[in-house]
Amino acid sequence: MTSPAVWDDAWARASVVAQALGLPLVDAAAQQTDDQADAWVLMETSAGSSSRAEMGVKLNEEQGIVWLHVMARSGSGTRPALVQRKALSEAFRFCDDLPAGLTYGDQSFDPPNTDDTGNWYRFSLGVDYIYQDIQVTA
């Protein structure tokens, strides 16, 4: 499960960068890849674990990854996609304006599969996150 607070924050950060780069940001559940004429960014999330604890507080801790995929048209070259992915990466580093309970951690960078035969190559950025939804009980 990805909490809405995580999705909303990640979407807002990625939107600012994508707009500055002139790239559409697309929700993975709403993608229409046939409509994309040029490079674009696809966002999705995966929560690897979610656990709860109760000791005077109700705490749900979620750990997962925000995935941002720069989709580069075949033949467009690697460097532009690397520049775009780096700009997205920087939006999740040194954040001092995070919602309560959310932290971003390590990042991973997945290279495209050059054996793919389609029209698009995927340059992926994975941003680890931890989100603690805390409710104090009396």
Side-chain angles (χ1 to χ4, degrees):
M1 168 182 98
T2 299
S3 293
V6 175
W7 176 266
D8 292 345
D9 185 74
W11 185 267
R13 289 175 193 287
S15 291
V16 169
V17 175
Q19 185 175 25
L21 294 170
L23 300 175
L25 177 63
V26 178
D27 176 342
Q31 67 174 322
Q32 296 295 320
T33 57
D34 292 342
D35 294 342
Q36 303 302 327
D38 207 354
W40 48 290
V41 178
L42 177 70
M43 185 176 128
E44 58 187 342
T45 60
S46 60
S49 67
S50 181
S51 59
R52 64 182 191 93
E54 291 186 44
M55 294 184 296
V57 298
K58 290 183 179 179
L59 168 67
N60 180 59
E61 181 175 284
E62 176 182 301
Q63 296 182 23
I65 302 173
V66 173
W67 287 103
L68 296 162
H69 309 289
V70 175
M71 304 301 293
R73 184 168 287 286
S74 178
S76 64
T78 297
R79 192 171 193 291
L82 294 178
V83 169
Q84 294 161 344
R85 185 173 64 182
K86 183 177 186 298
L88 288 162
S89 167
E90 290 171 355
F92 292 86
R93 297 183 186 272
F94 312 111
C95 304
D96 57 0
D97 59 344
L98 292 169
L102 178 60
T103 57
Y104 293 114
D106 292 340
Q107 297 185 3
S108 56
F109 306 91
D110 186 24
N113 181 353
T114 55
D115 290 332
D116 283 346
T117 58
N119 294 328
W120 299 98
Y121 284 111
R122 177 181 52 84
F123 291 78
S124 297
L125 163 66
V127 181
D128 293 345
Y129 74 85
I130 297 174
Y131 178 61
Q132 294 181 333
D133 189 5
I134 302 170
Q135 299 174 356
V136 179
T137 58

